Structures are given as C-alpha cells and as structure tokens.
C-alpha cells in the first residue's frame, strides 16, 4: 500500500507542469527559544522532487512564521493565502519571493 501511494505521488508530480504545496503542517520545532511550525516531511520530499524535476513550485503558507530556506529559495512563488492561488498568473509564473526569517 505505501509503495503504491509513493509511486502514484511521483507519477503525478512527473505529469504536472507545476506544483502547489501547502506548508501549514501542525508540527512544531523549537529554535532559539521560540516555537515554529514546520513543513511535513512528505510535503518537503514532494517539493524537493518537483524542484529536481525542474517543475515550478508555488508555496502556500497561511499560518505564517519562519520558513526553511531550502523551501523559500527554491520556490517560484510564496503565497500567504489560498485566495492568492486563484489570482496567481500560472501562464507567466511571476517570481514572488518569501520575505521573513529563515530556519
């Protein structure tokens, strides 16, 4: 079962022209005395695979907070609301950089 899920995930990323990833996982990390949310490891793997496959990645991060620099620097666009996904120009794929702290 697990292998079928993995293979289907890879097949769909290979098929896609771009990837939209929500990075609002409920896990937490303590760094420098502060609590920060972090991305699910499976989502991080999908993002990394998409980037390695030269697929543009659009990150959606509604909960805000610090972002891992490997994600923020590899994405085509960093959006702070799912509403912005409907407004994003997927034909021109403008670069929208993350502005904030890094982990």
């Amino acid at each position: 079962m697990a292998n079928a899920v993995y293979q289907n995930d890879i097949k769909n990323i290979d098929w896609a022209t771009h990837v939209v990833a929500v990075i609002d996982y409920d896990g937490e990390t303590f760094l420098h005395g502060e609590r920060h949310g972090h991305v699910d490891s499976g989502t991080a793997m999908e993002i990394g695979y998409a980037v390695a496959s030269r697929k543009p990645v659009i990150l959606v991060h509604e909960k805000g907070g610090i972002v891992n620099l490997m994600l923020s620097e590899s994405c085509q666009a960093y959006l702070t609301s799912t509403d912005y996904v409907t407004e994003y120009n997927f034909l021109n794929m403008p670069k929208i950089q993350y502005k904030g702290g890094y982990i």
Side-chain angles (χ1 to χ4, degrees):
M1 172 74 170
N3 188 49
V5 171
Y6 170 78
Q7 293 299 329
N8 190 56
D9 210 21
I10 295 300
K11 178 181 79 170
N12 282 295
I13 294 170
D14 288 341
W15 172 82
T17 57
H18 56 274
V19 171
V20 177
V22 178
I23 59 169
D24 286 329
Y25 183 65
D26 285 333
E28 295 177 336
T29 299
F30 288 93
L31 180 67
H32 306 298
E34 295 182 34
R35 181 179 302 203
H36 302 283
H38 58 80
V39 68
D40 171 71
S41 58
T43 304
M45 181 276 175
E46 293 164 343
I47 292 167
Y49 183 82
V51 169
S53 300
R54 305 282 187 220
K55 311 278 181 167
V57 175
I58 292 81
L59 297 180
V60 180
H61 193 206
E62 291 188 299
K63 292 182 181 177
I66 199 164
V67 174
N68 184 295
L69 69 91
M70 300 303 283
L71 299 179
S72 63
E73 295 304 303
S74 65
C75 72
Q76 181 65 28
Y78 174 86
L79 307 177
T80 56
S81 170
T82 54
D83 292 337
Y84 298 147
V85 175
T86 61
E87 299 169 8
Y88 186 73
N89 186 333
F90 284 93
L91 294 176
N92 294 333
M93 301 293 291
K95 179 76 173 172
I96 301 173
Q97 289 188 289
Y98 166 74
K99 294 178 175 72
Y102 294 98
I103 191 171

